Amino acid sequence: EITMPRPDHPRVLCVANQKGGVGKTTTTVNLAVALALHGNRVLVVDLDPQGNASTGLNVPHHAGVPDVYDCLIDNVPLSEVAQPVEGIPNLWCVPATIDLAGAEIELVSVVARESRLARAIAAHPEQFDYVFIDCPPSLGLLTVNALCAAQEVLIPIQCEYYALEGLNQLINNINLVRQHLNPTLDVSTILLTMYDRRTRLADAVEQDVRNHFGSKVLNAVIPRNVRVSEAPSYGQSVMTYDPGSRGATSYFEAALEIAMRGVNTGGNA
Ligand code: ADP
Ligand code: MG
């Protein structure tokens, strides 16, 4: 039995990359399950109107289910919309329904529109060890809310051509949020996803990313693995769907690294 250290303060991580299909949701779901299976209390906030994280955790999120929209727009407490994830003790999910699609525009005219999620998380009565916020593939007000609510940003990067170029805009937005809204926001973690070791390109991209981001890049790299992509259609994470697969063992290693690093976080680099 491997033990993961629990953080001495709640860690709120925003999983962001404005590019779609880079593994944000897959990373959110599998890290959350890995940490919860090893004794951490974990909350996943699904902030993508597509609701993929809710689907992946098998949490009901059809129209009419109370969701993160209600928290952002109508001040409903997170505790009233968070659902326990079946089969995984210590894991909860605030789902996203189709309602959330309207939030990007409705937030524009709401008071303190950038800090609605931060307020909702801060007001939650119970402590979590980890809160993971799964962002949509855009840099609008939903992602800004996630960046304001988080202490840390986790950026999944797919090992492909142009991987770094697309990040400039995200890093600029993070810098703006840091200057004006959330001064201690830290890009703490970079995770390489969908790595195909048969290609020389993946290797070159990995070197680029490691040169650029240094020790922020986790040693664990997530391989492209069909079991990872099959799991959501069974309403499972790969951690439970096929714990022995390379996808599952890699996400476990990544979770362990994040937990070990959490002993000393905070402050900008
Ligand atoms: P994002 O949330 O950034 O849009 P997803 O996590 O939804 O990205 O991943 C995009 C697609 O790639 C999904 O179909 C997912 O199942 C698949 N996928 C993600 N990670 C892997 C992996 N390591 N191996 C194989 N398929 C993956
Ligand atoms: Mg997603």
Side-chain angles (χ1 to χ4, degrees), residues 20-21 23-26 46 48 50 52-53 134-137:
K24 288 181 292 296
T25 300
T26 305
D46 190 349
D48 185 343
Q50 294 194 56
N52 294 336
D134 186 29
C135 287

Side-chain angles (χ1 to χ4, degrees), residues 15 17 19-28 30 48 50 52 134-137 156 158 193-195 222-232 247 251:
V15 181
N17 187 329
K19 210 169 157 194
V22 299
K24 288 181 292 296
T25 300
T26 305
T27 295
T28 299
N30 288 302
D48 185 343
Q50 294 194 56
N52 294 336
D134 186 29
C135 287
Q158 193 182 345
T193 61
M194 289 180 248
Y195 186 89
I222 310 302
R224 191 174 279 285
N225 175 237
V226 68
R227 308 301 268 171
V228 173
S229 54
E230 285 171 5
Y251 268 116

